[in-house]
Short mmCIF file of all heavy atoms in Angstrom, two decimals:
data_model
loop_
_atom_site.label_atom_id
_atom_site.label_comp_id
_atom_site.label_asym_id
_atom_site.label_seq_id
_atom_site.Cartn_x
_atom_site.Cartn_y
_atom_site.Cartn_z
N GLN A 69 58.00 143.18 -119.52
CA GLN A 69 57.17 142.83 -120.67
C GLN A 69 55.83 143.57 -120.64
O GLN A 69 55.34 144.05 -121.66
CB GLN A 69 56.92 141.31 -120.67
CG GLN A 69 58.16 140.48 -120.98
CD GLN A 69 58.61 140.62 -122.43
OE1 GLN A 69 59.45 141.46 -122.75
NE2 GLN A 69 58.02 139.82 -123.31
N ARG A 70 55.27 143.69 -119.46
CA ARG A 70 53.97 144.36 -119.36
C ARG A 70 54.09 145.86 -119.62
O ARG A 70 53.19 146.46 -120.21
CB ARG A 70 53.37 144.12 -117.97
CG ARG A 70 52.95 142.67 -117.73
CD ARG A 70 52.42 142.49 -116.32
NE ARG A 70 51.99 141.12 -116.09
CZ ARG A 70 51.55 140.65 -114.92
NH1 ARG A 70 51.50 141.47 -113.87
NH2 ARG A 70 51.18 139.40 -114.81
N ARG A 71 55.19 146.45 -119.16
CA ARG A 71 55.34 147.90 -119.31
C ARG A 71 55.76 148.28 -120.72
O ARG A 71 55.37 149.34 -121.22
CB ARG A 71 56.36 148.43 -118.30
CG ARG A 71 55.83 148.41 -116.87
CD ARG A 71 56.70 149.21 -115.90
NE ARG A 71 58.05 148.67 -115.78
CZ ARG A 71 59.13 149.25 -116.29
NH1 ARG A 71 59.03 150.36 -117.00
NH2 ARG A 71 60.31 148.69 -116.11
N LEU A 72 56.53 147.46 -121.39
CA LEU A 72 57.08 147.83 -122.68
C LEU A 72 56.22 147.38 -123.86
O LEU A 72 56.27 147.98 -124.94
CB LEU A 72 58.49 147.24 -122.83
CG LEU A 72 59.52 147.73 -121.81
CD1 LEU A 72 60.88 147.07 -122.05
CD2 LEU A 72 59.69 149.26 -121.90
N LEU A 73 55.44 146.30 -123.68
CA LEU A 73 54.66 145.78 -124.79
C LEU A 73 53.17 145.95 -124.49
O LEU A 73 52.63 145.37 -123.56
CB LEU A 73 54.97 144.29 -125.00
CG LEU A 73 56.44 143.97 -125.36
CD1 LEU A 73 56.63 142.47 -125.48
CD2 LEU A 73 56.84 144.65 -126.66
N ASP A 74 52.52 146.79 -125.31
CA ASP A 74 51.10 147.06 -125.09
C ASP A 74 50.26 145.80 -125.26
O ASP A 74 49.27 145.61 -124.56
CB ASP A 74 50.61 148.15 -126.06
CG ASP A 74 51.24 149.50 -125.76
OD1 ASP A 74 51.71 149.67 -124.61
OD2 ASP A 74 51.29 150.35 -126.66
N VAL A 75 50.65 144.95 -126.22
CA VAL A 75 49.85 143.75 -126.46
C VAL A 75 49.88 142.81 -125.26
O VAL A 75 48.87 142.18 -124.92
CB VAL A 75 50.37 143.02 -127.73
CG1 VAL A 75 51.80 142.52 -127.54
CG2 VAL A 75 49.45 141.85 -128.08
N ILE A 76 51.02 142.74 -124.57
CA ILE A 76 51.12 141.92 -123.37
C ILE A 76 50.27 142.51 -122.26
O ILE A 76 49.54 141.80 -121.55
CB ILE A 76 52.58 141.79 -122.91
CG1 ILE A 76 53.42 141.07 -123.97
CG2 ILE A 76 52.66 141.06 -121.57
CD1 ILE A 76 53.00 139.64 -124.20
N ALA A 77 50.33 143.82 -122.08
CA ALA A 77 49.53 144.48 -121.05
C ALA A 77 48.04 144.27 -121.30
O ALA A 77 47.27 144.00 -120.36
CB ALA A 77 49.86 145.97 -121.01
N ALA A 78 47.63 144.37 -122.57
CA ALA A 78 46.21 144.17 -122.88
C ALA A 78 45.79 142.73 -122.64
O ALA A 78 44.69 142.46 -122.14
CB ALA A 78 45.96 144.56 -124.34
N ARG A 79 46.67 141.80 -122.95
CA ARG A 79 46.35 140.38 -122.74
C ARG A 79 46.23 140.08 -121.26
O ARG A 79 45.32 139.34 -120.83
CB ARG A 79 47.44 139.51 -123.37
CG ARG A 79 47.17 138.02 -123.29
CD ARG A 79 48.34 137.25 -123.85
NE ARG A 79 48.66 137.66 -125.21
CZ ARG A 79 49.79 137.32 -125.84
NH1 ARG A 79 50.70 136.60 -125.20
NH2 ARG A 79 50.01 137.74 -127.08
N VAL A 80 47.14 140.64 -120.43
CA VAL A 80 47.08 140.42 -118.99
C VAL A 80 45.79 140.98 -118.41
O VAL A 80 45.13 140.34 -117.58
CB VAL A 80 48.31 141.06 -118.31
CG1 VAL A 80 48.14 141.07 -116.79
CG2 VAL A 80 49.58 140.32 -118.69
N GLU A 81 45.41 142.16 -118.87
CA GLU A 81 44.17 142.76 -118.37
C GLU A 81 42.96 141.93 -118.77
O GLU A 81 42.03 141.72 -117.97
CB GLU A 81 44.03 144.19 -118.90
CG GLU A 81 42.80 144.90 -118.39
CD GLU A 81 42.70 146.32 -118.92
OE1 GLU A 81 43.55 146.71 -119.75
OE2 GLU A 81 41.75 147.03 -118.52
N ARG A 82 42.96 141.45 -120.01
CA ARG A 82 41.85 140.65 -120.48
C ARG A 82 41.74 139.33 -119.69
O ARG A 82 40.66 138.92 -119.27
CB ARG A 82 42.02 140.35 -121.97
CG ARG A 82 40.85 139.57 -122.57
CD ARG A 82 40.98 139.44 -124.08
NE ARG A 82 42.15 138.67 -124.46
CZ ARG A 82 43.25 139.20 -125.03
NH1 ARG A 82 43.32 140.51 -125.27
NH2 ARG A 82 44.29 138.44 -125.34
N ASP A 83 42.90 138.69 -119.46
CA ASP A 83 42.89 137.45 -118.69
C ASP A 83 42.44 137.69 -117.25
O ASP A 83 41.74 136.87 -116.65
CB ASP A 83 44.28 136.82 -118.71
CG ASP A 83 44.67 136.31 -120.09
OD1 ASP A 83 43.76 136.16 -120.92
OD2 ASP A 83 45.87 136.08 -120.31
N SER A 84 42.86 138.82 -116.70
CA SER A 84 42.46 139.15 -115.33
C SER A 84 40.96 139.35 -115.23
O SER A 84 40.31 138.88 -114.27
CB SER A 84 43.20 140.40 -114.86
OG SER A 84 42.80 140.75 -113.55
N LEU A 85 40.38 140.02 -116.21
CA LEU A 85 38.94 140.23 -116.21
C LEU A 85 38.19 138.92 -116.38
O LEU A 85 37.16 138.68 -115.74
CB LEU A 85 38.56 141.21 -117.32
CG LEU A 85 39.05 142.65 -117.14
CD1 LEU A 85 38.70 143.49 -118.36
CD2 LEU A 85 38.43 143.26 -115.88
N ARG A 86 38.70 138.05 -117.25
CA ARG A 86 38.07 136.74 -117.44
C ARG A 86 38.11 135.91 -116.16
O ARG A 86 37.14 135.25 -115.80
CB ARG A 86 38.75 135.99 -118.58
CG ARG A 86 38.47 136.55 -119.97
CD ARG A 86 39.24 135.78 -121.01
NE ARG A 86 38.92 136.26 -122.36
CZ ARG A 86 39.54 135.85 -123.46
NH1 ARG A 86 40.52 134.94 -123.36
NH2 ARG A 86 39.21 136.33 -124.65
N GLU A 87 39.26 135.95 -115.48
CA GLU A 87 39.38 135.20 -114.24
C GLU A 87 38.42 135.73 -113.18
O GLU A 87 37.80 134.95 -112.44
CB GLU A 87 40.82 135.27 -113.72
CG GLU A 87 41.06 134.44 -112.48
CD GLU A 87 42.52 134.47 -112.04
OE1 GLU A 87 43.34 135.08 -112.74
OE2 GLU A 87 42.82 133.87 -111.00
N ALA A 88 38.27 137.05 -113.13
CA ALA A 88 37.32 137.64 -112.18
C ALA A 88 35.90 137.21 -112.51
O ALA A 88 35.09 136.93 -111.62
CB ALA A 88 37.45 139.15 -112.18
N ASP A 89 35.59 137.16 -113.81
CA ASP A 89 34.25 136.71 -114.22
C ASP A 89 34.01 135.25 -113.83
O ASP A 89 32.92 134.89 -113.36
CB ASP A 89 34.07 136.88 -115.73
CG ASP A 89 33.94 138.34 -116.14
OD1 ASP A 89 33.60 139.16 -115.26
OD2 ASP A 89 34.19 138.66 -117.31
N ARG A 90 35.03 134.41 -114.01
CA ARG A 90 34.89 133.01 -113.64
C ARG A 90 34.68 132.85 -112.14
O ARG A 90 33.88 132.02 -111.70
CB ARG A 90 36.12 132.21 -114.11
CG ARG A 90 36.19 131.98 -115.61
CD ARG A 90 37.22 130.91 -115.94
NE ARG A 90 38.56 131.32 -115.54
CZ ARG A 90 39.42 131.94 -116.36
NH1 ARG A 90 39.06 132.22 -117.61
NH2 ARG A 90 40.62 132.27 -115.93
N ASP A 91 35.40 133.65 -111.36
CA ASP A 91 35.24 133.59 -109.90
C ASP A 91 33.84 134.01 -109.49
O ASP A 91 33.23 133.39 -108.60
CB ASP A 91 36.28 134.47 -109.22
CG ASP A 91 37.71 133.95 -109.38
OD1 ASP A 91 37.84 132.73 -109.68
OD2 ASP A 91 38.66 134.72 -109.22
N ARG A 92 33.32 135.05 -110.12
CA ARG A 92 31.97 135.50 -109.79
C ARG A 92 30.93 134.45 -110.19
O ARG A 92 29.96 134.20 -109.46
CB ARG A 92 31.68 136.84 -110.46
CG ARG A 92 32.34 138.04 -109.79
CD ARG A 92 31.77 139.33 -110.33
NE ARG A 92 32.10 139.52 -111.75
CZ ARG A 92 33.18 140.16 -112.17
NH1 ARG A 92 34.04 140.67 -111.30
NH2 ARG A 92 33.42 140.29 -113.47
N ASP A 93 31.13 133.83 -111.36
CA ASP A 93 30.19 132.80 -111.80
C ASP A 93 30.21 131.59 -110.87
O ASP A 93 29.16 131.03 -110.55
CB ASP A 93 30.52 132.36 -113.23
CG ASP A 93 30.23 133.44 -114.25
OD1 ASP A 93 29.47 134.37 -113.92
OD2 ASP A 93 30.78 133.37 -115.37
N ALA A 94 31.42 131.20 -110.44
CA ALA A 94 31.53 130.06 -109.53
C ALA A 94 30.87 130.37 -108.19
O ALA A 94 30.19 129.52 -107.61
CB ALA A 94 33.00 129.70 -109.32
N ALA A 95 31.05 131.61 -107.72
CA ALA A 95 30.41 131.99 -106.45
C ALA A 95 28.90 132.00 -106.59
O ALA A 95 28.18 131.60 -105.66
CB ALA A 95 30.93 133.36 -106.01
N ALA A 96 28.40 132.46 -107.75
CA ALA A 96 26.95 132.50 -107.97
C ALA A 96 26.38 131.09 -108.05
O ALA A 96 25.22 130.86 -107.66
CB ALA A 96 26.64 133.27 -109.25
N ARG A 97 27.15 130.14 -108.56
CA ARG A 97 26.67 128.75 -108.66
C ARG A 97 26.77 128.01 -107.34
O ARG A 97 26.27 126.90 -107.21
CB ARG A 97 27.49 128.01 -109.72
CG ARG A 97 27.30 128.52 -111.14
CD ARG A 97 28.29 127.87 -112.09
NE ARG A 97 28.19 126.42 -112.07
CZ ARG A 97 29.12 125.60 -112.57
NH1 ARG A 97 30.23 126.10 -113.10
NH2 ARG A 97 28.93 124.29 -112.54
N GLY A 98 27.41 128.62 -106.35
CA GLY A 98 27.54 127.98 -105.05
C GLY A 98 28.57 126.89 -104.99
O GLY A 98 28.48 125.99 -104.14
N LEU A 99 29.55 126.91 -105.89
CA LEU A 99 30.58 125.88 -105.90
C LEU A 99 31.61 126.14 -104.79
O LEU A 99 31.89 127.28 -104.45
CB LEU A 99 31.28 125.85 -107.27
CG LEU A 99 30.40 125.46 -108.46
CD1 LEU A 99 31.22 125.52 -109.74
CD2 LEU A 99 29.80 124.08 -108.27
N PRO A 100 32.19 125.08 -104.24
CA PRO A 100 33.18 125.27 -103.18
C PRO A 100 34.48 125.83 -103.74
O PRO A 100 34.83 125.60 -104.90
CB PRO A 100 33.38 123.86 -102.62
CG PRO A 100 33.06 122.97 -103.78
CD PRO A 100 31.96 123.66 -104.54
N LYS A 101 35.20 126.56 -102.90
CA LYS A 101 36.50 127.10 -103.31
C LYS A 101 37.54 125.97 -103.32
O LYS A 101 37.52 125.09 -102.46
CB LYS A 101 36.94 128.19 -102.35
CG LYS A 101 36.08 129.43 -102.37
CD LYS A 101 36.63 130.49 -101.44
CE LYS A 101 35.78 131.76 -101.50
NZ LYS A 101 36.30 132.81 -100.59
N PRO A 102 38.43 125.97 -104.30
CA PRO A 102 39.46 124.91 -104.34
C PRO A 102 40.44 125.05 -103.18
O PRO A 102 40.77 126.15 -102.75
CB PRO A 102 40.14 125.14 -105.69
CG PRO A 102 39.83 126.55 -106.06
CD PRO A 102 38.52 126.89 -105.45
N TYR A 103 40.86 123.92 -102.69
CA TYR A 103 41.86 123.86 -101.62
C TYR A 103 42.97 122.95 -102.10
O TYR A 103 42.73 121.78 -102.41
CB TYR A 103 41.24 123.33 -100.33
CG TYR A 103 42.18 123.33 -99.14
CD1 TYR A 103 42.25 124.42 -98.28
CD2 TYR A 103 43.02 122.24 -98.89
CE1 TYR A 103 43.11 124.42 -97.20
CE2 TYR A 103 43.89 122.24 -97.82
CZ TYR A 103 43.93 123.33 -96.98
OH TYR A 103 44.80 123.33 -95.91
N TYR A 104 44.19 123.47 -102.17
CA TYR A 104 45.31 122.72 -102.72
C TYR A 104 46.07 122.01 -101.58
O TYR A 104 46.42 122.62 -100.57
CB TYR A 104 46.25 123.65 -103.48
CG TYR A 104 45.61 124.22 -104.73
CD1 TYR A 104 44.87 125.40 -104.68
CD2 TYR A 104 45.73 123.57 -105.95
CE1 TYR A 104 44.27 125.91 -105.82
CE2 TYR A 104 45.13 124.07 -107.09
CZ TYR A 104 44.40 125.25 -107.02
OH TYR A 104 43.79 125.73 -108.16
N VAL A 105 46.30 120.72 -101.78
CA VAL A 105 46.93 119.90 -100.74
C VAL A 105 48.38 119.58 -101.06
O VAL A 105 49.02 118.82 -100.32
CB VAL A 105 46.14 118.59 -100.53
CG1 VAL A 105 44.71 118.90 -100.11
CG2 VAL A 105 46.15 117.74 -101.80
N GLY A 106 48.91 120.14 -102.16
CA GLY A 106 50.29 119.87 -102.53
C GLY A 106 50.46 118.41 -102.94
O GLY A 106 49.68 117.88 -103.71
N SER A 107 51.47 117.77 -102.36
CA SER A 107 51.71 116.35 -102.67
C SER A 107 51.24 115.44 -101.54
O SER A 107 51.57 114.26 -101.52
CB SER A 107 53.22 116.12 -102.89
OG SER A 107 53.96 116.50 -101.74
N LYS A 108 50.45 115.99 -100.62
CA LYS A 108 49.98 115.21 -99.48
C LYS A 108 48.86 114.25 -99.88
O LYS A 108 48.20 114.42 -100.90
CB LYS A 108 49.47 116.14 -98.38
CG LYS A 108 50.50 117.14 -97.87
CD LYS A 108 51.56 116.47 -97.03
CE LYS A 108 52.49 117.48 -96.39
NZ LYS A 108 53.51 116.86 -95.52
N GLN A 109 48.63 113.28 -99.04
CA GLN A 109 47.56 112.31 -99.23
C GLN A 109 46.42 112.64 -98.28
O GLN A 109 46.61 112.84 -97.09
CB GLN A 109 48.06 110.89 -98.96
CG GLN A 109 47.03 109.81 -99.25
CD GLN A 109 47.62 108.42 -99.14
OE1 GLN A 109 48.79 108.26 -98.79
NE2 GLN A 109 46.84 107.40 -99.44
N VAL A 110 45.20 112.70 -98.83
CA VAL A 110 44.02 113.08 -98.05
C VAL A 110 43.46 111.84 -97.34
O VAL A 110 43.34 110.77 -97.93
CB VAL A 110 42.94 113.71 -98.95
CG1 VAL A 110 41.70 114.06 -98.14
CG2 VAL A 110 43.50 114.95 -99.63
N GLY A 111 43.09 112.01 -96.08
CA GLY A 111 42.48 110.93 -95.32
C GLY A 111 41.45 111.45 -94.36
O GLY A 111 41.39 112.65 -94.06
#
């Protein structure tokens, strides 16, 4: 899909850039990185 459809490739690139921007903004704000625990219970 990415190789054959230009619109899909452009959308993926745009989403990737947005995600990178969000990561940089979160790092600048000093927020903790998410840690996924699956279906476990935290104690």
Side-chain angles (χ1 to χ4, degrees):
Q69 291 291 93
R70 291 177 179 176
R71 289 193 297 108
L72 298 179
L73 299 177
D74 293 339
V75 64
I76 297 296
R79 184 184 304 167
V80 170
E81 182 179 4
R82 183 173 64 251
D83 292 342
S84 179
L85 293 175
R86 289 177 177 173
E87 184 177 357
D89 288 340
R90 287 194 297 267
D91 292 341
R92 284 192 295 269
D93 291 342
R97 294 172 57 195
L99 296 178
K101 294 183 178 180
Y103 184 91
Y104 293 88
V105 300
S107 59
K108 301 288 187 178
Q109 185 173 3
V110 178

